[in-house]
Each structure stands twice: as structure tokens, then as C-alpha cells.
């Protein structure tokens, strides 16, 4: 018997969940719920049914885990507690400032329903958080640095698109190589935003737009660009389509610490990811944590969890004896 | 009240545990047990007492966790179950072929005594295992490669020292850079041992030794060197002392997988460590897992665990609310 998964919200992330579940024979997507018209959605998995989101409640007893694929700003603060009253749920809530509020609201709903909710699952928050925690636990007097990129920032791309005369825009956040090297060398540098990352923009303009004015406006935009070194490339619509339609991302998390009588021994721990598709990778992590949510709930556990609360063995479909023999 | 730690066995690893605990204000080394004469041991922590190993049983009630710092070949198979009858224990057992046997023997002893035993804690087995497991759970159709080094292999150094005419020897295992790059590029290469690592040896000879014969014997030694490209440097005793008295190590664990309708999106997950002192880093990991052992046992849990069974939050001295706010 497979773990029956529902996808709630069907964009890049929801589609990514379908791809991910397709690599896991012990799980199966049995329903997609959408606010759009179901007939407008074409799932990638043959035979998967699409329902209006209102139908979710009627499928309470046949869904083991719902993976919430909405956004953190508006959707998840409402949806995760709402659906935790019906299903075990997993989300990728990434609004750092509100994580504990979200936690408590999901915890209350999930406990009342006897379900498990795992929040803030992804790579950051998520796998990067795990590495921060473990590195500091091992080396509490050391220091962790996080770099993001090379990858597309949706927020910065949107900011470019709002400029007058811009038809399309895409922004890549890129770590400064010298900053990475200085951290790896254990120099414990203090960075300004400009020292750590630079920003590269690709822009398609409307006919007759003032190129120089657009470049100036981008480079001097407060909060988004003015604190960074930024390069702007003007390209054609065809070039945009051909070279910049992916959603790559990545990042580096580097911890350095010292041990020994005089702290003479340096240790560098580095975790990095390089992703052709940010949403598909995030979806793959959500799928693994959906398995953990199901198992915890089968053990009688309820309430909210984060990646910090999940024993890693719960993520794998293999049993403990096999994991010890093959992975340890 | 601090977590009271005992160190059983006092070599490089045991000393490393003292350094590690010194960075963790919630833990304290209160006893070192040794098979040597206690007066021959000088702990690094002021005020720590050294006892003959036979005295451990009498301190059953004042020690929260014993960290076992013996070797995997002879000491730990006996000591870990033996001391799990008295204390919560943590060890760094690394004899892969026997991990499940060791698990069951520690499990039985720890359950009978109402204690927790965490085995095979370190970086490999340990943190590398964790990354293997998580990467395969996220990307089950991908592939993980492990590289070790640059670092000292004790077994290979010992093998050199056994050669006639050799006074001292040290061997470094070094990953082949081109192999790392080929894995990172997602080429899923198939490697012979020679493709992945090479071996660099530093040798001090006795007066009048046959240098050419020694080099030949090293390079052609079955199991240890004949399957690898090996370089041999003959150096003086002073050079050995000055440049090669450390115990550095490190390694890389790289997973590549694909997602998407046609598996067109590649994902690379890399974890690597670069360690000036292999035993001191391992000891730092043991210290963090000692905290987890204590907490699990305080929650009423008993029996054997591995790094796969431990929720990461248990490793940190911070509470869950703080971890969510600061690390997630």
C-alpha cells in the first residue's frame, strides 16, 4: 500500500511534487486541488484527478499527506493550519520573521485533528538550516556564513519588471568568489552586502525605451540593488526565452571553527547545492518529508514539526537495518 | 546543572573530547577512565580526575554520558555494550561490516539497563552518512560519490613503517581533482580506485637503507598501494616532525540527481569537510551526540541509536523555539 499524496496548489512547485513522487515507488499522487478551473490543469502523471480546492474536505479519509504548494506571503499562513485539520501536511513556508507564529498556528490545528504538520521544508529554510544547526552544535564557537546563488531571485526580477519601459526582466544573485574563499580560509571576515553577492540583470525593453535611464534606475533602486554591484544586460525577447527561462538556484553554507589547546586546529564544513530547477528541487525535499509526516502520524505523533524535529531515517523508504548496512 | 561526561580511553580522541566539551557550557567532563596508570595522564581540563578503568562501575550514579574513545577493532565491540549497562554511551565505531552486529549488542545492553547508546558517531560514519541518506531520500534515482582526503591514513602509514629500513612514514590519501569535477558535472562516472584517489608518502629511512627498494616495495604493496598512483618522498626526521606531525583529514560527498518531465534538470548536492585534526573534529561530533543521548534518556528512551535516529534539534543546547527563530 502506497502513501497517498495530495498536491494543494498547482504551479511550478506542485508540478515538481509530481515529478518527485514519480521517483518514489512507495508514494502516489492521488489528487491535485486547485483554485483554478480543474479542466485548465493538465497533470504530468497519467490518471491523476484534479479537483476544485473546496472538494478537499470530502477526501479527508483517503489522503495520507497533503503537500501545500502555495506561497508564504498569503496562502500558507491560512492554508497550512486549515488543511492540518484534515490531513497530515507539509509546507515550504519561508517567511523567517513569522516562523514561530506559523508553527504555533499549525501545531494547534494539527494536534486538535490528530495530524502531523511539517513546516518550512525546502533547502533554505530546510537543508541549509539543518547544516547551520549541526555545524553550530559540533563547533559552537565557530561561525556559519550563508551565500545564495547563482540563482534567480523572483523578487528582484519583479522589481525590474515594474520599471517603466521594461517588457521583461530576470535577475541572478551571484556569490562573490573572493568572499567564499575568504570564508573557506577561516578568516572570519565581516561582510557588507556588496562584499558577499553581486547582481546580474537581463532586461528586455519596450520599443523606444530609454536604456540609460532604465539601467540607472535598476542600479540605484534602494533595498533591491543600491547596496550591491549590479550589471545590466539588455537583450532581445528571443534571447530571454532561449537563455533565461529556467529557474536555477543554489547556495553555499560554510562553517569554520577551531579546536585544540590553543585553538590551533581549523575545521571547515561546507554544504552547497547547485540546482537547475529551484522549485523541482524544493518539491523533492517536500516529498521526502511527506513520507516522514506519514510515518510519524502512524506512530501516533501529532502536532507541528520542523526539519529540526525529524530523525533523518524517517525520510528514507528503507528500514533501519538496511540503512545501517548500506548508508552508515 | 550540567551534563556530566566521562571519557573512557585517553588518546587523541579522548583529549579531543575534553577540548570539545570546553566549548559547551552545558556539559562538563567529570572523569577520565584509563587502562594506563592514572598518574601518567595529564588532562587538559583543570580539576578533572583520572581513574583506573575498573572504577567506572562505582561512578554509575554520577555520570550522565560516557564517551568511548577506544578503537573499533578491539575496544568498542566489548566496551560499548559493557558500559551501556552502566551509562548512556556514545562511540565512533567505524567497522562498517559489523555495524548491525554492534548495534544489536549495544541495543540489548542499553535496553536492559534503561540507557541510551549512540554508535558510529563521527564524520564517516556519521555526518557523511547523514548526507548520503538525505540526498538519496530527496533524489532517489540520483547517485552519491564519496571521496576522502586530503588526509592521513593510519593504516597506510603503519604499512609503510613495517617495511625493512623504514624509520618513520606517513601517508596522505588525496582525491583526484578531475574525478571530483567529473562527478560535480553530473557525468555519473564509473571509477577504478586509481581514478578517485592518489597516495602521497613521506618516509624517513634508517642509515644505509636501500631507498630504491623501499620505494618499489611501497608502490607495489598489494591492497594498500598497488591499485593507486603513489608518490614517495624521502625526508629527514626533522622534516617529518616539523611538517607531518598533524592528523589532518577531510572528504567530499557529492550527490547528483535529475528532475523534470525528461529529467532535464540536474541537481548537485555537495558536502565537504577540511579538518586540521581528524580526532578533534570527531570528538566534537561525539560531544554533540552525547547531549542528544542524555536528552533522549531523560525523555524515557532506551536502546541503541545511530545518527539516523536522532532528530537534529537534540544536538543543540538551544530550545526548539530559539532554534526555529535563529537557525531555521
Amino acid at each position: 500500500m502506497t502513501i497517498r499524496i495530495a498536491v494543494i496548489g498547482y504551479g511550478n512547485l506542485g508540478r515538481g511534487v509530481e515529478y518527485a513522487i514519480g521517483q518514489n515507488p512507495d508514494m502516489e499522487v492521488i489528487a491535485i486541488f486547485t483554485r483554478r478551473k480543474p479542466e485548465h490543469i493538465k497533470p504530468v502523471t497519467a490518471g491523476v484527478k484534479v479537483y476544485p480546492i473546496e472538494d478537499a474536505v470530502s477526501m479527508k479519509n483517503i489522503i495520507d499527506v497533503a503537500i501545500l504548494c502555495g506561497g508564504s506571503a498569503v496562502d500558507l499562513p491560512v492554508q497550512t493550519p486549515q488543511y492540518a485539520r484534515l490531513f497530515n501536511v507539509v509546507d515550504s513556508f519561508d517567511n523567517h520573521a513569522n516562523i514561530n507564529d506559523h508553527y504555533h498556528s499549525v501545531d494547534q490545528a494539527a494536534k486538535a485533528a490528530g495530524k502531523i504538520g511539517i513546516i518550512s521544508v525546502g533547502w533554505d529554510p530546510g537543508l541549509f538550516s539543518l547544516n547551520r544547526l549541526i555545524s553550530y552544535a559540533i563547533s559552537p564557537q565557530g561561525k556559519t556564513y550563508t551565500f545564495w546563488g547563482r540563482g534567480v531571485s523572483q523578487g528582484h526580477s519583479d522589481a525590474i519588471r515594474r520599471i517603466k519601459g521594461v517588457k521583461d526582466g530576470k535577475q541572478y544573485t551571484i556569490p562573490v568568489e573572493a568572499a567564499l574563499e575568504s570564508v573557506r580560509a577561516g578568516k572570519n571576515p565581516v561582510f557588507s552586502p556588496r562584499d558577499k553577492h553581486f547582481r546580474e540583470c537581463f532586461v528586455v525593453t519596450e520599443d523606444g525605451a530609454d536604456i540609460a535611464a532604465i539601467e540607472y534606475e535598476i542600479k540605484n533602486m534602494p533595498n533591491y540593488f543600491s547596496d550591491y554591484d549590479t550589471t545590466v544586460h539588455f537583450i532581445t525577447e528571443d534571447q530571454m526565452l532561449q537563455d533565461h527561462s529556467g529557474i536555477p538556484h543554489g547556495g553555499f553554507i560554510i562553517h569554520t571553527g577551531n579546536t585544540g589547546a590553543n585553538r590551533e586546529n581549523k575545521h571547515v564544513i561546507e554544504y552547497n547545492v547547485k540546482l537547475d530547477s529551484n522549485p523541482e528541487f524544493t518539491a523533492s525535499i517536500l516529498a521526502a518529508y511527506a513520507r516522514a509526516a506519514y510515518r510519524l502520524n502512524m506512530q501516533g505523533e501529532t502536532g507541528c514539526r520542523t526539519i529540526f524535529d525529524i530523525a533523518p531515517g524517517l525520510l528514507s523508504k528503507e528500514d533501519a537495518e538496511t540503512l545501517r548496512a548500506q548508508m552508515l
Side-chain angles (χ1 to χ4, degrees), chain A:
Chain A
M1 166 125 167
T2 56
I3 303 172
R4 297 163 301 180
I5 302 290
V7 173
I8 300 186
Y10 197 76
N12 290 322
L13 190 60
R15 201 173 310 112
V17 169
E18 280 200 271
Y19 295 136
I21 298 292
Q23 294 196 23
N24 288 283
D26 61 330
M27 298 194 273
E28 186 186 2
V29 176
I30 65 158
I32 292 166
F33 296 106
T34 180
R35 284 179 297 212
R36 289 181 277 163
K37 286 196 194 301
E39 58 272 28
H40 290 178
I41 291 195
K42 195 175 149 34
V44 298
T45 321
V48 172
K49 291 214 172 121
V50 186
Y51 304 91
I53 199 161
E54 298 74 23
D55 287 8
V57 61
S58 70
M59 296 175 73
K60 182 174 155 42
N61 296 320
I62 61 165
I63 289 164
D64 295 315
V65 189
I67 299 180
L68 298 170
C69 298
S72 295
V74 175
D75 301 329
L76 299 177
V78 176
Q79 287 184 343
T80 312
Q82 178 184 346
Y83 293 108
R85 290 186 190 93
L86 301 174
F87 315 117
N88 299 305
V89 293
V90 182
D91 80 16
S92 61
F93 184 80
D94 67 358
N95 187 343
H96 265 278
N98 298 336
I99 274 181
N100 269 316
D101 288 347
H102 188 58
Y103 174 88
H104 291 295
S105 114
V106 174
D107 192 50
Q108 198 172 25
K111 274 186 180 145
K115 300 293 182 185
I116 283 284
I118 311 182
I119 61 163
S120 301
V121 170
W123 59 275
D124 197 5
L127 303 181
F128 274 28
S129 320
L130 203 58
N131 276 281
R132 274 190 278 275
L133 186 156
I134 294 175
S135 292
Y136 272 116
I138 291 169
S139 170
Q141 299 180 356
K143 189 163 177 187
T144 297
Y145 292 81
T146 305
F147 294 84
W148 293 279
R150 181 183 183 257
V152 173
S153 163
Q154 220 54 60
H156 289 79
S157 300
D158 289 345
I160 294 169
R161 288 189 207 108
R162 284 191 296 263
I163 294 173
K164 188 167 167 289
V166 169
K167 205 166 175 181
D168 198 3
K170 203 131 189 186
Q171 192 264 192
Y172 297 89
T173 305
I174 305 172
V176 175
E177 192 61 39
L180 285 170
E181 286 311 319
S182 147
V183 170
R184 287 181 184 129
K187 292 181 180 164
N188 287 329
V190 177
F191 289 127
S192 70
R194 192 181 304 275
D195 297 331
K196 280 182 81 181
H197 296 96
F198 66 97
R199 302 194 176 281
E200 189 168 25
C201 310
F202 295 87
V203 181
V204 180
T205 55
E206 311 278 4
D207 287 347
D210 183 341
I211 304 280
I214 290 171
E215 179 162 348
Y216 183 87
E217 190 169 341
I218 293 174
K219 288 186 171 174
N220 293 285
M221 194 185 298
N223 302 321
Y224 286 90
F225 293 100
S226 63
D227 294 336
Y228 298 86
D229 290 336
T230 302
T231 54
V232 181
H233 308 278
F234 291 94
I235 60 174
T236 66
E237 233 172 331
D238 282 353
Q239 286 173 319
M240 181 65 88
L241 192 68
Q242 190 176 319
D243 300 337
H244 304 285
S245 41
I247 316 172
H249 221 311
F252 300 80
I253 172 154
I254 306 173
H255 183 96
T256 56
N258 290 76
T259 60
N262 304 302
R263 307 175 69 74
E264 68 277 16
N265 292 318
K266 191 182 75 194
H267 306 290
V268 185
I269 310 170
E270 173 167 343
Y271 186 75
N272 67 64
V273 297
K274 191 163 173 246
L275 314 171
D276 279 353
S277 167
N278 187 0
E280 290 177 12
F281 187 70
T282 301
S284 301
I285 307 171
L286 285 165
Y289 280 87
R291 180 186 286 125
Y294 172 76
R295 287 189 179 170
L296 279 173
N297 192 240
M298 290 296 278
Q299 293 168 13
E301 306 253 340
T302 68
C304 191
R305 301 287 187 279
T306 74
I307 205 162
F308 297 157
D309 307 309
I310 308 296
L314 290 168
L315 302 174
S316 170
K317 72 173 170 45
E318 307 299 339
D319 64 31
E321 190 97 4
T322 306
L323 288 177
R324 288 191 295 267
Q326 295 181 352
M327 297 268 172
L328 200 60

